[in-house]
Amino acid sequence: MRVSDLIDSAFKAYNGGRLAEACRLLTEKMLPDDGTVGLSLTGALTPAGLGKAAIVPLMKAGFVDWIISTGANLYHDLHYGLGMELYAGSPFLDDVELRHDGVIRIYDVLFDYDVLLDTDAFVRQAIQGEEFQRTMGSDEFHHLLGKYVYEREKALGLKETSVLAAAYKYGVPVFTSSPGDSSIGMNVAAMALRGSKLQIDVNRDVNQTAAIVYAAKATQHTSSVFILGGGSPKNFMLQTEPQIQEVMGIEERGHDYFLQCTDARPDTGGLSGATPAEAVSWGKIDPDSLPDCVVCYTDSTIALPLITAYALSRTKPRKLKRLYESRAALYDKLVEQYFKCGKVEKIEHRTDVKSARRTRRK
């Protein structure tokens, strides 16, 4: 039985039912009519092999148009692109012994300490290049770094093992919401002590991500968020709409579709567990699309391979948007609209969604 047939025929209730709804939301609402899909990544997904297994195939098929990730996921993704070995282990090993033996553990994933040291050296050597000696957004930084990983993959005879290399190849912008919060950021900081001029422009990132969303909505297309886990990447992706509406004063109604796989509870007050209904109150989600929003309470390492297999089975590949290549034009359009609508003084109160019904959705 195909995965897609299994999900449609047997995943009928509880979180199995929500997973089936998530699959159908992606294939029947988010992907059709050239909708823009943003993917956010938290949790140690790339060390578990989900970069090569699921994220790269989704990008290759044109099902993911832009990404916000923790820096850690991008750092551990580099191990695969550089041909390093990670092993299946056990969560019940003695970590003191592992430390003595120079073995790193991420729950039940094991790898040699030299994997970290060699990856660090690769990053430091790469960012010495002249093209890195300036201030840039994290999407540009990851594009340049992805080029180096792509070339290393080719030299090693590897094929599509790295998310960053695939993002470079397919023109998918990759942002990180906390540039200093990972080993990549740590190495960038160390090289600054040696005179590196590389700086990550977080202001550019905030406006660039908003520009991607605004471009989709302004051209009468949908903007969807596919959230794995929660955390800072989830907020960074969702805040694009308040940036457009609340801060820039541009009339908008929120993202059209919301799909999240998480194990976080809403009642603790953290953003990771915040529901799409709560996001409506912030202007992050279009109220009209709330019935289509899906939260699946399950481990992303279970949900993502199943959703990916379902989508690849049920939907033909889409033409790649290659948003990285149009990033400057999208940015300029947002800036132009901001100076038409925005101001330094308080923005007018515009939360009566009934008076701002959107007519452009297909």
Side-chain angles (χ1 to χ4, degrees):
M1 182 181 288
R2 295 164 67 180
V3 168
S4 53
D5 294 331
L6 174 67
I7 290 173
D8 282 337
S9 65
F11 286 43
K12 294 298 186 182
Y14 316 129
N15 280 315
R18 303 298 76 71
L19 182 58
E21 290 176 350
C23 290
R24 289 190 284 270
L25 175 62
L26 177 62
T27 57
E28 297 175 10
K29 299 289 182 68
M30 294 165 65
L31 293 177
D33 300 320
D34 202 32
T36 295
V37 178
L39 176 69
S40 75
L41 304 173
T42 58
L45 302 183
T46 57
L50 289 178
K52 180 177 181 178
I55 300 169
V56 171
L58 287 172
M59 287 193 288
K60 184 176 183 179
F63 295 169
V64 167
D65 302 306
W66 63 290
I67 293 173
I68 297 176
S69 174
T70 59
N73 267 309
L74 302 178
Y75 175 73
H76 293 302
D77 169 70
L78 295 176
H79 308 330
Y80 290 93
L82 301 178
M84 299 175 182
E85 300 289 346
L86 286 80
Y87 297 92
S90 167
F92 307 112
L93 300 175
D94 186 325
D95 288 288
V96 175
E97 289 188 11
L98 293 179
R99 175 65 176 175
H100 286 313
D101 293 338
V103 176
I104 304 295
R105 181 174 72 88
I106 303 176
Y107 194 62
D108 57 358
V109 177
L110 306 175
F111 50 91
D112 194 280
Y113 189 57
D114 279 329
V115 168
L116 300 182
L117 300 177
D118 290 340
T119 303
D120 291 343
F122 174 84
V123 172
R124 291 194 298 269
Q125 290 165 5
I127 65 176
Q128 288 184 92
E130 186 63 33
E131 67 270 40
F132 286 97
Q133 303 309 307
R134 53 191 173 84
T135 299
M136 63 184 73
S138 65
D139 58 335
E140 185 174 6
F141 169 68
H142 293 135
H143 182 79
L144 294 174
L145 187 60
K147 179 181 178 181
Y148 279 81
V149 184
Y150 178 71
E151 295 297 334
R152 180 64 65 89
E153 278 188 337
K154 288 199 302 182
L156 296 173
L158 303 175
K159 186 176 181 180
E160 297 186 334
T161 62
S162 163
V163 171
L164 279 179
Y168 166 77
K169 181 178 180 181
Y170 299 122
V172 176
V174 178
F175 301 86
T176 185
S177 51
S178 301
D181 186 19
S182 75
S183 293
I184 293 178
M186 290 154 58
N187 282 287
V188 171
M191 291 302 289
L193 301 177
R194 293 180 174 271
S196 172
K197 300 298 188 294
L198 173 60
Q199 296 282 341
I200 304 300
D201 186 347
V202 295
N203 294 334
R204 173 82 189 207
D205 282 358
V206 171
N207 292 323
Q208 186 71 68
T209 53
I212 291 173
V213 174
Y214 178 72
K217 307 301 280 296
T219 55
Q220 301 183 11
H221 293 90
T222 57
S223 173
S224 300
V225 294
F226 182 2
I227 300 164
L228 297 172
S232 178
K234 175 185 177 181
N235 186 71
F236 205 70
M237 180 160 282
L238 289 174
Q239 76 173 20
T240 50
E241 280 287 2
Q243 175 72 357
I244 294 168
Q245 302 169 49
E246 171 194 340
V247 176
M248 292 185 156
I250 303 170
E251 187 169 316
E252 239 300 302
R253 286 175 53 85
H255 291 284
D256 297 283
Y257 300 112
F258 177 111
L259 192 172
Q260 182 180 10
C261 300
T262 183
D263 59 1
R265 293 160 40 192
D267 59 313
T268 60
L271 187 277
S272 294
T275 63
E278 183 179 323
V280 166
S281 72
W282 289 82
K284 296 175 179 179
I285 302 295
D286 187 333
D288 287 350
S289 69
L290 187 56
D292 290 320
C293 296
V294 175
V295 179
C296 182
Y297 290 99
T298 190
D299 187 334
S300 293
T301 62
I302 299 169
L304 181 58
L306 293 173
I307 293 172
T308 301
Y310 188 99
L312 294 174
S313 174
R314 291 285 195 251
T315 307
K316 293 181 180 179
R318 304 193 306 174
K319 181 180 179 181
L320 298 177
K321 287 187 177 61
R322 306 193 74 89
L323 292 177
Y324 181 83
E325 296 167 9
S326 58
R327 55 194 288 276
L330 301 183
Y331 190 90
D332 290 343
K333 287 180 181 178
L334 178 69
V335 172
E336 179 184 0
Q337 193 65 18
Y338 169 57
F339 282 107
K340 288 180 181 178
C341 304
K343 56 184 180 180
V344 177
E345 295 78 18
K346 181 180 178 180
I347 302 294
E348 290 81 4
H349 194 286
R350 287 194 312 231
T351 54
D352 182 3
V353 295
K354 292 182 180 179
S355 66
R357 292 293 179 190
R358 200 156 55 81
T359 60
R360 61 176 174 262
R361 185 186 303 157
K362 298 180 180 179

